[in-house]
């Protein structure tokens, strides 16, 4: 193997690729060659580093220098200064918002410093399309160890580690494996990896598959051996072309090495994996719908029990886990349950990957130990709220999670604490909301997503979410009554209690939590016909401040109802009778002269 | 017959290990070659190539080579600094590829400082 | 055998039996809309909710598909169960306000006012899926299916246009609790008048059937459709439907009782 003194790791996750990272890579190779450094410096493409907001990014090892927002024009300079002369280029490094001094090294940046990588341990460090690099970082040694253990011992190890499902409900993984192992079958068992990831804005699973597909494959082989399955499926979203491509390459390479197929590593154990492409509906992520879809039937949930552990794909016992759950398995086997169970809290062990989005400075993907507080995630890692706005709430667990208010910022992030707060871990989405958010409107927003994704099978979810949305719309339009509020609360409660699958059971969470923590906002909309955050336009009164108005006339031109009058050098005026509250004047005024009462 | 045995797996790992160790920034020894304009003119590239060649020949897995800008002592280029984990850095001056090879075998691998080529212990002390 | 308590009464049930079956053994009525003993539980209408207490935890479950467990305590009329049923009935009232069986149930549960807007006062399908499922699993024709997702969900009507697979057996009409699927005499006739060789259906008594419609190419002695009707429903629905007034709810209940095995 050739020796290089330096490696230039070009991020080739989906976000960086769409920011032209492959062009950056080509430019790097070109310039390196021009400077005659091609035998000293290697350029490697990696999966997502998680800090997509500042992409495309390149990390230079061994120093660990972190370059961000690169353009092709920057490359000749970087190569000459840094690679040839050894002077890292300050102006292309990352500086925290509001600060001048750049932070040269990746691991000194707040966003990365507090992370603890297990599921993503190889992210940015290996080329996901080369199995040898995975093996170099101890890849498939967990499998080698597992194949020498008894299935019972493996299951015990996973149980002892305390690993819980990362796909939503947080079921104990070891226990699920045991149930599947014990289930009787008259013709095989299956393992299944759920890579459907339908939450909007979430890309944890995509990122794991893109950055380290072999970790998922290795996890699946270990699981299959422990459970007694000879066939595995990975159900992956069709909208993830890059992840799909890397997965196909990884499977091919594993097969070539005999890590899949017959007599794996001489153990006598046979196993292979098929890829199934997801149809795209959110509800297909629900495991019974997922399995129907794997069989080629309509992706619709069915009642549980019988649980998939007994009655899964083709009615055979099937062990389904989420991508991140599977990716944790190799490390647990290699390093032991003891090591893993030291990380995290009493009931929630290990780490969890979250996607941080919304009103937060450092949007991106982070892996943190369980038990870390929301404050640490949002402020230390996420860099706080942009434009010095106040934090209002964080929606955890995807569109069907709950909104957790500022009073609970010190809440430790673990399964129990989140669900006590009315939310959930879900798959790990976190949407940060600032003071400009209307909580009624945000509940309406999340509910409109789940309502649209309901499969329509059961009454409460199909009819109930539609009616909840109707009531929320009424309230945000200022037409809500106190009786509506009561009906909404009752309905939300019953939909949660009586729905058939997880979608309906969780869809009311945003409504229930905003009612619990922000009831005053609902009441302001209903009783005072006022939206405290000025988001619900129908409740706003637009007025022009005569002192700030420069009589530019823009609002007058844009108003669709001709409700604004005024001439040259004359402060403009809104005719409230004509105003339809579309808010266009507010949006177009460059002098902030339009105010909302 | 399985295609791959545990031993094969170990061999693959051995082979690729150096590559990923560098990326983790983990290393027992760090060699910094000074590559300012003056250094390059004085032949710093040859020194670099010599060190890289040694690493490959001796199959040294945990040696990091980096470059740095001009050290401010242009008359004594080419120069390099060797730093073993937990020890003070040692600066070598007026290097040639042969001297670099000696330094690699004696200092980097065996831990014996090559006094005759060394400028001073500690990087900044002489100026 | 498993023993459990329903509404305070002790009952023994077979392993694998549902709460609904155990309750029926005690003569307790749990309302259902999407359940039929000849079909796999579907658990979609969520009307049969009951409260279950196990290991001091209380939970709402659907009686039609939840298996009995040793030592389980079930309350079929607890406040929590009644509130859940009531809400789902109110939602169904808003969906299909003119349907008799829904109106009757709503009245029984004291629902006086519908707090939700009615989108289509003429809607009569409650999406219980009985027609779709029976046509698939008993008849084997799969002539009806659901289309669209979420609140746009509808079912495709087998009689709207000439369906290739419908054999005009009428079992969907017979099972539909709301009368949404109507098989008019003329429709059936139209089906039977399709070109092809016509013959008398001898086993399932579907009258004159064109060759194309018979699922079994007129090999009546081995009629699978007939066999499935016998296996699942003890009879062909035509026999029962003939003498019944589909219009009245009570008749419908009578109806079900007669064909149910137990
Ligand atoms: C509407 C809905 C969508 C879901 N989507 C996903 C998904 O995208 N990925 C996933 O792993 N689990 C999803 N789940 C959870 C799965 O049903 C299942 O619990 C999970 O895959 C089990 O794996 P785990 O034990 O490793 O968490 C979803 C559940 C529901 C109700
Ligand atoms: S009449 Fe029979 S075959 Fe036709 S749709 Fe109804 S159940 Fe199916
Ligand atoms: S048509 Fe009748 S049987 Fe079919 S789903 Fe609608 S209500 Fe149920
Ligand atoms: S084969 Fe069956 S369906 Fe066909 S005509 Fe004979 S009895 Fe009727
Ligand atoms: S894709 Fe590059 S950091 Fe996410
Ligand atoms: S009868 Fe049980 S859910 Fe419909």
């Amino acid at each position: 193997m050739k020796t290089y003194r330096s490696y230039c790791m070009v991020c080739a996750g989906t976000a960086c690729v769409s920011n032209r990272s492959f062009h950056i890579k080509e430019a790097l190779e070109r310039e390196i060659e021009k400077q005659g450094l091609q035998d000293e410096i290697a350029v490697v493409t990696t999966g997502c580093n998680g800090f997509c907001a500042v992409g495309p990014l390149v990390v230079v090892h061994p120093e660990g220098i972190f370059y961000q927002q690169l353009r092709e024009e920057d490359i000749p300079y970087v190569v000459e200064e840094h690679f040839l002369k050894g002077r890292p280029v300050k102006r292309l490094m990352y500086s925290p918002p509001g600060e001048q001094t750049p932070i040269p090294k990746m691991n000194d940046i707040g966003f990365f410093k507090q992370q603890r990588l297990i599921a993503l341990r190889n992210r940015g460090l290996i080329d996901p399309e080369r199995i040898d690099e995975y093996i170099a970082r101890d890849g498939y040694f967990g499998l080698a160890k597992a194949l020498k253990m008894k299935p019972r011992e493996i299951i015990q190890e996973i149980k002892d580690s305390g690993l819980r499902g990362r796909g939503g409900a947080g079921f104990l993984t070891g226990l699920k494996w045991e149930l599947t192992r014990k289930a009787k079958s008259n013709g095989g068992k299956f393992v299944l990896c759920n890579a459907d990831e339908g939450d909007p804005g979430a890309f944890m699973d995509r990122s794991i598959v893109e950055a380290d597909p072999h970790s998922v494959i290795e996890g699946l082989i270990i699981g299959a051996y422990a459970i007694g399955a000879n066939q595995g499926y990975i159900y992956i979203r069709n909208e993830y072309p890059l992840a799909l491509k890397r997965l196909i390459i990884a499977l091919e390479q594993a097969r070539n090495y005999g890590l899949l197929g017959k007599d794996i590593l001489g153990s006598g154990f046979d196993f292979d994996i098929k890829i199934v492409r997801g149809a795209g509906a959110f509800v297909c992520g629900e495991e019974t719908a997922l399995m129907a879809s794997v069989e080629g039937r309509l992706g619709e949930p069915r009642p549980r029990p019988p649980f998939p552990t007994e009655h899964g794909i083709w009615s055979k016992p099937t062990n389904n886990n989420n991508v991140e759950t599977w990716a944790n398995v190799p490390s647990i086997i290699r390093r032991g349950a003891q090591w893993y169970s030291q990380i995290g809290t009493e009931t929630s062990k290990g780490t969890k990957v979250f996607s941080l989005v919304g009103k937060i400075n450092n949007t991106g993907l982070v892996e943190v130990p369980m038990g870390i507080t929301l404050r640490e995630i949002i402020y230390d890692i996420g860099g706080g709220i942009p434009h010095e706005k106040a934090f209002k709430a964080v929606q955890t667990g995807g569109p069907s999670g709950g909104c957790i208010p500022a009073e609970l910022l010190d809440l430790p992030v673990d399964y129990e604490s989140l669900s006590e707060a009315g939310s959930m871990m879900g798959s790990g989405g976190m949407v940060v909301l600032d003071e400009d958010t209307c909580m009624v409107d945000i509940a309406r927003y999340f509910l409109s997503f789940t309502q649209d994704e309901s499969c329509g099978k059961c009454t409460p979810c199909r009819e109930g979410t539609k009616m909840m949305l109707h009531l929320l719309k009424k309230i945000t339009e200022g037409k809500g009554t106190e009786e509506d509020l009561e009906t909404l609360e009752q309905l939300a409660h019953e939909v949660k209690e009586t729905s058939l699958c997880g979608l309906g059971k969780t869809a009311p969470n945003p409504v229930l939590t905003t009612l619990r923590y922000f009831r005053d906002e609902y009441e302001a909309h209903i009783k005072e016909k006022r939206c405290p955050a000025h988001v619900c336009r129908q409740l706003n009164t637009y007025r022009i401040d005569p002192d700030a108005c420069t009589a530019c006339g823009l609002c007058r031109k844009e108003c669709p109802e001709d409700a604004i009058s005024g001439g040259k050098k004359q402060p403009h005026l809104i005719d409230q009778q004509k105003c339809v509250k579309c808010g266009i004047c507010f949006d177009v005024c460059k002098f902030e002269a339009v105010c909302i009462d | 017959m399985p295609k791959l045995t545990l031993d094969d797996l170990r061999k693959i790992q051995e082979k690729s290990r150096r590559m990923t160790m560098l990326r983790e920034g983990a290393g027992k020894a760090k060699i910094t070659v000074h590559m300012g304009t003056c250094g390059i003119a004085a032949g710093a590239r040859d020194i670099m190539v010599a060190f890289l060649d040694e690493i490959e020949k001796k199959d040294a897995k945990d040696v990091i080579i980096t470059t740095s800008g001009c050290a401010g002592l242009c008359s004594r280029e080419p120069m390099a600094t060797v730093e073993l984990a937990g020890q003070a850095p040692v600066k070598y001056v007026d290097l040639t590829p042969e001297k670099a090879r000696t330094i690699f075998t004696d200092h980097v691998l065996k831990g014996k400082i090559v006094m005759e080529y060394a400028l001073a212990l500690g990087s900044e002390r002489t100026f | 055998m498993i023993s459990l308590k329903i509404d305070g009464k002790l009952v023994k049930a077979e392993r694998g039996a549902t709460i609904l079956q155990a309750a029926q053994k005690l003569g307790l009525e749990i309302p259902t809309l999407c359940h039929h003993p000849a079909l796999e539980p579907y658990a979609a209408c969520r009307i049969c909710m009951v409260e279950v207490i196990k290991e001091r935890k209380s939970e709402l479950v659907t009686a039609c598909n939840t298996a009995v467990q040793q030592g389980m305590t079930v309350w079929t009329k607890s406040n929590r169960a009644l509130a859940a049923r009531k809400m789902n009935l109110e939602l169904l009232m808003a969906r299909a306000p003119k349907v008799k069986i829904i109106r009757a149930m709503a009245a029984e549960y004291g629902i006086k006012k519908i707090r939700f807007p009615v989108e289509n006062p003429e809607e009569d399908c409650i999406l219980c899926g009985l027609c779709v499922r029976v046509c698939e699993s008993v008849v084997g024709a799969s002539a009806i299916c659901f289309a669209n997702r979420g609140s746009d969900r509808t079912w495709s009507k087998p009689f709207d246009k000439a369906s290739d697979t419908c054999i005009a057996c009428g079992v969907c009409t017979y099972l539909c609790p709301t009368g949404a699927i109507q098989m008019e005499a003329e429709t059936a006739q139209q089906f039977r008048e399709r070109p092809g060789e016509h013959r008398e259906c001898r086993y399932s008594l579907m009258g004159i059937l064109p060759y194309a419609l018979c699922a079994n190419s007129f090999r009546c002695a081995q009629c699978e459709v007939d066999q499935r009707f016998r296996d699942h429903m003890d009879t062909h629905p035509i026999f029962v439907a003939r003498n019944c007034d589909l219009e009245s709810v009570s008749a419908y209940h009578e109806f079900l009782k007669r064909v149910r095995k137990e």
Side-chain angles (χ1 to χ4, degrees), chain B:
Chain B
M1 263 298 284
K3 287 190 187 166
L4 206 70
T5 64
L6 185 51
D7 275 342
D8 300 329
L9 205 59
R10 287 213 182 90
K11 275 182 210 137
I12 297 169
Q13 182 176 45
E14 278 294 292
K15 225 172 52 187
S16 346
R17 189 78 193 108
R18 183 185 142 70
M19 181 165 70
T20 51
M21 275 187 69
L22 270 191
R23 298 178 195 168
E24 289 153 42
K28 180 170 97 219
K30 181 167 142 190
I31 307 173
T32 311
V33 182
H34 302 266
M35 287 275 230
T37 320
C38 46
I40 296 173
R45 292 300 300 281
D46 298 338
I47 306 302
M48 167 72 73
V49 171
F51 276 128
L52 279 174
D53 189 46
E54 282 298 305
I55 289 179
E56 202 164 327
K57 271 199 202 129
K58 308 266 161 63
D59 197 22
K61 291 213 169 43
D62 42 7
V63 178
I64 293 176
I65 298 202
T66 64
T67 55
S68 76
C70 173
L73 208 64
C74 306
S75 56
R76 315 261 349 231
E77 296 278 8
M79 306 184 5
T81 308
V82 173
E83 193 176 345
L84 296 190
Q87 292 176 25
V90 180
K91 191 164 279 186
Y92 292 104
V93 291
D94 300 327
L95 291 177
T96 62
E98 290 68 41
K99 286 186 191 172
R101 286 177 201 276
T102 320
I103 290 167
F104 190 85
T105 345
D106 290 2
H107 189 176
V108 176
L109 292 184
K110 298 189 190 137
K112 273 201 327 245
I113 299 175
V114 189
M115 283 303 187
E116 44 180 320
Y117 308 147
L119 173 73
L121 303 186
S123 53
E124 312 306 349
R125 231 168 285 157
T126 46
F127 41 137

Side-chain angles (χ1 to χ4, degrees), chain A residues 114-225:
Chain A
Q114 305 239 354
Q115 296 195 43
R116 169 103 198 227
L117 305 183
I118 297 175
L120 288 166
R121 58 185 283 274
N122 284 329
R123 85 163 176 204
L125 289 177
I126 64 167
D127 181 341
E129 298 182 14
R130 293 196 201 158
I131 190 171
D132 284 7
E133 301 197 4
Y134 179 68
I135 294 175
R137 301 239 327 129
D138 300 321
Y140 290 110
F141 283 88
L143 172 65
K145 183 171 170 192
L147 291 174
K148 292 202 157 62
M149 295 162 73
K150 290 199 180 67
R152 190 174 38 80
E153 293 167 347
I154 299 175
I155 289 172
Q156 193 57 45
E157 197 75 15
I158 299 293
K159 273 171 119 179
D160 291 345
S161 76
L163 177 64
R164 295 170 67 173
R166 300 292 191 244
F171 193 77
L172 277 166
T173 306
L175 191 58
K176 197 190 271 184
W177 288 21
E178 186 170 65
L179 289 171
T180 321
R181 168 134 205 114
K182 285 189 177 154
K184 286 193 182 58
S185 168
N186 52 0
K189 295 180 183 178
F190 298 110
V191 286
L192 173 62
C193 170
N194 186 345
D196 191 49
E197 197 164 54
D199 290 16
F203 51 102
M204 293 63 76
D205 296 346
R206 179 185 82 193
S207 163
I208 293 175
V209 175
E210 277 177 11
D212 201 11
H214 287 286
S215 65
V216 180
I217 298 173
E218 186 181 354
L220 273 164
I221 311 174
I222 295 173
Y225 173 70

Side-chain angles (χ1 to χ4, degrees), chain C residues 33 123-132 144 146 155 172 175-181:
Chain C
L33 280 171
E123 177 65 72
D124 48 10
C125 170
I126 55 164
L127 297 170
C128 69
L130 283 169
C131 55
V132 174
I144 324 173
F146 285 126
W155 50 285
C172 53
L175 278 193
C176 177
T178 70
I181 285 201

Side-chain angles (χ1 to χ4, degrees), chain A residues 361-373:
Chain A
N361 275 315
N362 304 338
T363 56
L365 205 74
V366 300
E367 182 172 355
V368 289
M370 296 272 193
I372 188 170
T373 63

Side-chain angles (χ1 to χ4, degrees), chain C residues 88-109:
Chain C
N88 286 335
L89 275 172
E90 191 179 339
L91 287 168
L92 287 174
M93 273 297 276
R95 175 184 176 88
K98 67 163 207 199
V99 166
K100 289 213 170 120
I101 187 164
I102 303 293
R103 294 177 75 101
M105 279 184 168
E108 199 184 317
Y109 279 83

Side-chain angles (χ1 to χ4, degrees), chain A residues 304-322:
Chain A
R304 294 180 315 173
F307 287 97
T309 48
E310 292 186 347
H311 197 93
I313 301 175
W314 314 117
S315 308
K316 305 281 185 280
T318 303
N319 189 93
N320 165 46
N321 281 119
N322 166 260

